[in-house]
Amino acid sequence: MVSGGASVVRANIVLTVNGSLRRLTVDTRASLLDALRETLGLTGAKKGCDHGQCGACTVLLDGRRANACLALAVAQDGSDVVTVEGLADGERLSPVQEAFLAQDGYQCGYCTPGQLCSATGVLREAARGWPSAVTEDVASEPPLDDAEIRERMSGNLCRCGAYQGIVAAVREAAR
């Protein structure tokens, strides 16, 4: 349902966020990132460049990686969203989170939520056999070697330069 005054148009939407059904009223110009952070108080996904170039805002949208800063919230009505807050199972960290701890992939942590969501998406894509730009044989299951991990994670930038730890963490989580 869309309603509004002279300058702001709002819409009611429903999202499943981290497994919970959430009803929101959003400005139709609001990004998914702003809806998550400002309306739902889920501040794990970070606002970095606000242009989809740094990946700090990466979430899983209907199971696939997405830059939440580039997605209009109103266009996601009915979607399933997983933020970094939804990766763990209660107090039990996900295998990707555990691997980031073990491999020192966290550094300052600003990019970490996006890196964790992206890495989770990378593992799902690889498990489904989806090739990347560096997959040599697209007809076979792509090996999740360092080149594949770097290519698949290339949409996420780390200001601290923790890439070695992040690649090692994704490799470890893939086992």
Side-chain angles (χ1 to χ4, degrees), residues 154-173:
S154 64
N156 293 79
L157 303 177
C158 173
R159 297 171 186 182
C160 300
Y163 296 113
Q164 292 304 320
I166 292 168
V167 170
V170 175
R171 189 181 333 109
E172 180 178 314

Side-chain angles (χ1 to χ4, degrees), residues 145-155 163-164 167:
D145 58 20
D146 288 359
E148 283 281 345
I149 294 169
R150 284 189 177 92
E151 171 59 22
R152 293 171 187 266
M153 295 292 293
S154 64
Y163 296 113
Q164 292 304 320
V167 170

Side-chain angles (χ1 to χ4, degrees), residues 78-166:
S79 294
D80 181 67
V81 180
V82 176
T83 68
V84 70
E85 291 94 339
L87 293 179
D89 181 12
E91 296 296 317
R92 184 173 171 211
L93 298 178
S94 74
V96 171
Q97 290 170 311
E98 290 283 354
F100 267 65
L101 274 174
Q103 298 298 328
D104 198 23
Y106 282 110
Q107 300 294 313
C108 82
Y110 191 82
C111 72
T112 303
Q115 299 273 4
L116 290 167
C117 285
S118 190
T120 301
V122 162
L123 295 176
R124 290 179 183 168
E125 292 164 11
R128 291 177 181 145
W130 295 357
S132 78
V134 299
T135 303
E136 291 186 22
D137 181 4
V138 295
S140 66
E141 185 173 319
L144 203 50
D145 58 20
D146 288 359
E148 283 281 345
I149 294 169
R150 284 189 177 92
E151 171 59 22
R152 293 171 187 266
M153 295 292 293
S154 64
N156 293 79
L157 303 177
C158 173
R159 297 171 186 182
C160 300
Y163 296 113
Q164 292 304 320
I166 292 168

Side-chain angles (χ1 to χ4, degrees), residues 3-100:
S3 63
S7 61
V8 177
V9 177
R10 298 191 180 279
N12 296 321
I13 64 171
V14 177
L15 300 172
T16 300
V17 181
N18 299 329
S20 297
L21 195 66
R22 306 295 300 262
R23 299 180 190 284
L24 310 107
T25 300
V26 296
D27 183 322
T28 54
R29 301 166 296 177
S31 70
L32 177 61
L33 178 63
D34 288 339
L36 292 169
R37 291 181 58 84
E38 296 171 17
T39 304
L40 297 178
L42 296 170
T43 57
K46 301 295 187 257
K47 184 174 277 197
C49 66
D50 222 14
H51 291 87
Q53 297 173 340
C54 73
C57 65
T58 303
V59 298
L60 298 172
L61 182 60
D62 292 327
R64 300 182 66 174
R65 298 181 285 162
N67 290 328
C69 72
L70 297 180
L72 285 174
V74 71
Q76 310 316 315
D77 187 27
S79 294
D80 181 67
V81 180
V82 176
T83 68
V84 70
E85 291 94 339
L87 293 179
D89 181 12
E91 296 296 317
R92 184 173 171 211
L93 298 178
S94 74
V96 171
Q97 290 170 311
E98 290 283 354
F100 267 65

